[in-house]
Structure formats: C-alpha cells, structure tokens
Amino acid sequence: MADAATMALGLMKEELKNEEIERRIEAMRRIGVVAKVIGPEQARTTLLDLLRESVEDDDEVLLAMAKSLAELVDAIGGPEHAGLLLPLLASVAGCEETVVRDEAARAMKKVMADMSAEKLQRHGIPAARELSTGDWFTSRVSATALFGPLLAKIKDAEASAELRSLFGRLCRDDTPMVRRAAAGRLDEVAGAIDHTALVSELLPHFNSLIADDHDSTRLIAVGQCANVAKLLTEAECNTHMLELVKACAEDKSWRVRVNIAKDFFTLSQALGSAKTTSELLVLYIMLLQDPEAEVRAAACGSLPGYFDLVGSAKFISDVVPCMRDLSVDMALNVRVKLSVVLVDVAAKLGRQASGAHLIQAIMQCLRDEASEVRLNVLGNLRGFTDVLGIDLVLSSIVPTIISLSSDKQWRVRESVAARMPLLAEVVGTSVFESK
C-alpha cells in the first residue's frame, strides 16, 4: 500500500510539471483518485502541498483543480478537515480569469456547506478576510460569494459583525467590478443576518449601490429590490424602499427601468395598497408607456396583480386604456407579453367589466399580424369563454376564430382545429354546426 501511495504521488508530481498542458489538466482531474489511493492523512498534507505549487499554472489547469477540490472533502477525512481546502481555493479564486474565479468561489461554497459553524469560524472567516482585503480586485470580487453562506451559519456576535463589516467594505469598494459583485449578493446576505443588522447596516449599503454612478451596478442592485423588500415590514418598506423604487422607475438607464418593471408588482405589494394607489400607480403607468419596448414588455407582467392592489375602478380608469394601446404596440415582444396576461386580467375584471372595457384589446390580439400573439389568445380560449360568457364569445370571438381557420400560418390553423371540440361544447352542437 505504501508503494502504491508513493507511486501515485510521484506520478502526480511528474504530471503536474509536464510541459504539455493537457497532461497537467488530466492530472488535476485525477486528484480525487490519487487522494483515495494515498489515504486521508497524506491527502491533507503531501497532496495539498503539491497542489499549492501549481496555483500559478494556466487557467485551464486551475479550472480543473477547482472542480476537483470541490469534491475532495470525503477523501481528506470529511467535514472535520474540509477547512484545509479553503486557503488553496482562495488562491485560485484570486486569479484573473473570470471562469476560474467563479468556479473556485462555487467550490469554496460547496466545501463550506459541509462544515460546522465552529470550523467555518476557524477557517472560513480567515479565507473571506484574505480575499476581501486582497490587493487585486479579482480576489475581492470572489470574496463577495462567501458572505451569504458564512453569515447563514455563523451566529457568534463578534464574528458576524466582522463579516458584515467586510461585506460593507466591498459594497463601498473603489473598483466598480467589486461593487457590482457585492450588489449581486445583497439578497443572500440580507437573508442571512438578523433584522436589526439588515435595517441598520445593510440597507445603507443597498441605498448607495442603487445610486451608484455605474449603470451596471445599479442594474444588479435594482434586481435585488424585491428580495430585500420581502424581508421588511410594510412600514419599513415605506421608510427605506419607497424613494428607491421611485428613483429606479425614473432612472436614466432603460436597463434599470426594465429590472424594476419586472418586479414592480412585488415591490408595490410590499409597500402596500395605499402607497401603491397614491404614489406608485402613476409610475407604473409611466413604465407601461416607457419609450423602450423592453420596459413596456416587462411591465406587462404586473398587470394581473396590479388589479388587486389598486381596485377595479382605478384599474379600469387608469390601466385598461394603456392595455388597449399596448395591444397595438409597434413592438412584437410587447404585444406577445400582453397577450399572455390578458386572460388573467379578464378573470380579475369579471364578465361585465371585461366585456365593456377589455374586449377591444382581446380582439386586437386575436387579429394580430403576428401568429405568436394570435396563438396566445387561442391557447386561452377556455379561460376567455368562462369569463366573457357565451353571448359575447359568439358575437365577437367566434367569427374571428372562423376566419383564422384559413390563416396562412399552419400553427394557427392547427390551434384553431384543436379548439373546435371546446367551441362545440361551449356553443352547443346546433350552433356549432350552423356557424
């Protein structure tokens, strides 16, 4: 057995120093096999020492190393010794290549998932500290991935305070790439810390990232709004989130407006019906009428939910006119998104209001020049029939469906044919045969 271990280590050392990169990559892929041959004790010492000599190798080799180290916990003796892998992975996580850094960070998170809070405090915090205070921005970018998992397990007050402080430094880092990475981890950290720390420490960092000079950072921070808002009370949302939502809805970057539009219902729900009706509804209308088609399309997703927040009267008077405009929007993606949610909005409005105010938009989508829009309406035919009733279906929808049976797009004709049994069931055999 000793001879086998010696041979395995010798071969590994030889392969890792080979001039051919393919041989070194293959050696890294065999780390787990070698560890099993030499046993946990030698794997923790000799093998890891050998791998440390390769942390300056080519990116492809380091990528293979990170992937192998993520699976090495059992081979080095289990979670009790998993912390020994973190310094090595931290070295890889500071490299220049993004793909390698991301893989190393994922490996560190996987290794930490098996560790106890005590072991994380002993090994995980030093690794996070080393990366967070590194001279190169690359290591600080990788560090942002560690704070959510660490804070979720470590409940020691002093240790948690240090981790929150380190993460706060990354949120205020001079390098935009670091701030952007920190912005992408806000929800993980928010969900891992106590409520007091969330409100007093994390929200100020959140505010600064939302107002960042770089569009890309603001864009990512805005994407975290809904997840953070879910952790706050309605009163706290009104205090800390309302002005942020307003600012994002009017941001100069259309990409930021897209992100806020995607979550506008969730955010409005967190802020409450009263604030939504008095202050956010006008912003939502602005998003539905935004100059950028992507923003309008994203805002369509909130239409069914907004009915519940503002009530029937305000929805009909303020929102439905926008829906009629959107049904003839120049952008196909906007009309497609509207056609998907129409049936849900109709169900909220009910038969009378849908027949009076929404039928125009429904019919426009059913006659749309794009087959995808027509198919979305046809696909929800049963839902429309249940809401609108037989009389309106017969007078408005059925004639259009009959005309679609000779549509130039075969998928539309197929969709019409597939819904003929439903039509026969709804209108009755005699009416169906006559029509």
Side-chain angles (χ1 to χ4, degrees):
M1 189 66 180
D3 290 341
T6 302
M7 287 179 61
L9 283 171
L11 181 60
M12 171 65 77
K13 185 173 183 178
E14 181 180 328
E15 292 291 274
L16 289 178
K17 294 184 180 300
N18 196 288
E19 291 183 359
E20 296 182 13
I21 188 172
E22 291 80 7
R23 299 276 290 274
R24 302 200 301 277
I25 292 172
E26 190 57 36
M28 288 298 183
R29 290 172 178 163
R30 292 200 303 268
I31 288 174
V33 175
V34 174
K36 289 178 182 178
V37 172
I38 65 178
E41 186 174 348
Q42 282 205 74
R44 293 193 298 268
T45 54
T46 310
L47 179 59
L48 292 186
D49 287 341
L50 187 60
L51 293 175
R52 288 186 190 98
E53 298 175 7
S54 297
V55 293
E56 301 295 332
D57 210 325
D58 292 321
D59 293 333
E60 294 90 338
V61 179
L62 295 180
L63 182 64
M65 180 197 289
K67 289 180 178 179
S68 294
L69 290 176
E71 310 296 332
L72 205 63
V73 173
D74 290 337
I76 64 171
E80 181 73 15
H81 302 286
L84 297 174
L85 298 173
L86 295 180
L88 183 53
L89 283 167
S91 297
V92 179
C95 78
E96 188 174 350
E97 175 56 47
T98 302
V99 175
V100 179
R101 291 202 312 268
D102 290 346
E103 189 61 46
R106 277 193 291 270
M108 292 182 80
K109 291 172 72 173
K110 184 170 184 179
V111 168
M112 290 192 299
D114 294 326
M115 298 170 63
S116 65
E118 178 188 355
K119 294 294 182 182
L120 282 176
Q121 197 165 333
R122 184 181 304 174
H123 300 285
I125 292 180
R129 187 188 301 126
E130 177 188 349
L131 287 172
S132 300
T133 56
D135 293 333
W136 292 97
F137 81 90
T138 53
S139 64
R140 303 199 298 277
V141 167
S142 296
T144 61
L146 306 182
F147 289 94
L150 287 171
L151 285 163
K153 279 193 173 183
I154 296 175
K155 300 305 177 185
D156 177 80
E158 186 176 344
S160 294
E162 181 186 0
L163 288 170
R164 295 195 305 270
S165 175
L166 287 170
F167 185 74
R169 287 179 56 181
L170 296 176
C171 291
R172 301 186 305 272
D173 197 274
D174 292 336
T175 307
M177 287 77 83
V178 178
R179 298 198 302 274
R180 186 166 63 237
R185 304 293 180 177
L186 282 168
D187 58 341
E188 293 181 9
V189 174
I193 61 179
D194 63 75
H195 195 79
T196 301
L198 167 62
V199 175
S200 63
E201 297 180 28
L202 192 64
L203 284 183
H205 300 317
F206 185 46
N207 290 340
S208 67
L209 291 169
I210 287 282
D212 197 90
D213 292 337
H214 287 76
D215 289 357
S216 58
T217 302
R218 294 203 310 280
L219 179 66
I220 294 175
V222 168
Q224 304 291 320
C225 281
N227 292 329
V228 173
K230 291 174 184 177
L231 302 173
L232 303 174
T233 66
E234 185 175 316
E236 288 168 340
C237 277
N238 280 288
T239 301
H240 301 285
M241 300 290 290
L242 180 59
E243 294 306 316
L244 290 180
V245 174
K246 289 181 179 180
C248 292
E250 299 175 318
D251 196 274
K252 63 183 180 180
S253 168
W254 69 268
R255 289 182 175 86
V256 171
R257 300 198 303 276
V258 165
N259 264 14
I260 202 71
K262 288 177 181 176
D263 293 323
F264 210 76
F265 166 66
T266 303
L267 290 166
S268 300
Q269 192 175 39
L271 288 161
S273 180
K275 284 292 182 184
T276 297
T277 304
S278 63
E279 300 191 45
L280 295 183
L281 179 57
V282 65
L283 295 175
Y284 183 55
I285 299 300
M286 286 174 53
L287 293 172
L288 289 172
Q289 298 172 337
D290 195 272
E292 289 292 337
E294 292 295 334
V295 179
R296 300 195 299 275
C300 285
S302 293
L303 283 167
Y306 241 72
F307 177 90
D308 296 326
L309 288 175
V310 302
S312 178
K314 290 293 286 182
F315 191 88
I316 291 171
S317 64
D318 294 11
V319 180
V320 169
C322 293
M323 295 180 66
R324 288 196 285 265
D325 293 339
L326 293 170
S327 70
V328 293
D329 197 280
M330 293 292 291
L332 173 59
N333 61 327
V334 175
R335 303 197 307 277
V336 168
K337 193 62 181 284
L338 177 68
S339 67
V340 170
V341 301
L342 269 176
V343 69
D344 295 324
V345 174
K348 299 278 187 180
L349 284 171
R351 179 169 300 182
Q352 185 175 355
S354 293
H357 304 287
L358 202 61
I359 190 65
Q360 180 182 337
I362 296 171
M363 295 306 299
Q364 182 61 46
C365 288
L366 195 55
R367 301 188 189 103
D368 196 276
E369 64 182 19
S371 61
E372 187 176 356
V373 178
R374 302 195 297 273
L375 284 168
N376 284 337
V377 178
L378 284 171
N380 288 314
L381 182 58
R382 179 178 289 279
F384 284 121
T385 303
D386 292 341
V387 173
L388 298 174
I390 184 63
D391 293 335
L392 191 55
V393 168
L394 278 173
S395 63
S396 299
I397 294 182
V398 168
T400 304
I401 291 177
I402 292 173
S403 69
L404 291 176
S405 64
S406 57
D407 194 274
K408 62 182 180 180
Q409 291 287 339
W410 69 267
R411 288 185 177 84
V412 176
R413 300 195 302 273
E414 180 186 50
S415 182
V416 171
R419 280 151 186 84
M420 285 302 173
L422 171 61
L423 274 178
E425 176 188 332
V426 169
V427 304
T429 304
S430 59
V431 176
F432 179 78
E433 290 177 349
S434 68
K435 295 287 184 179

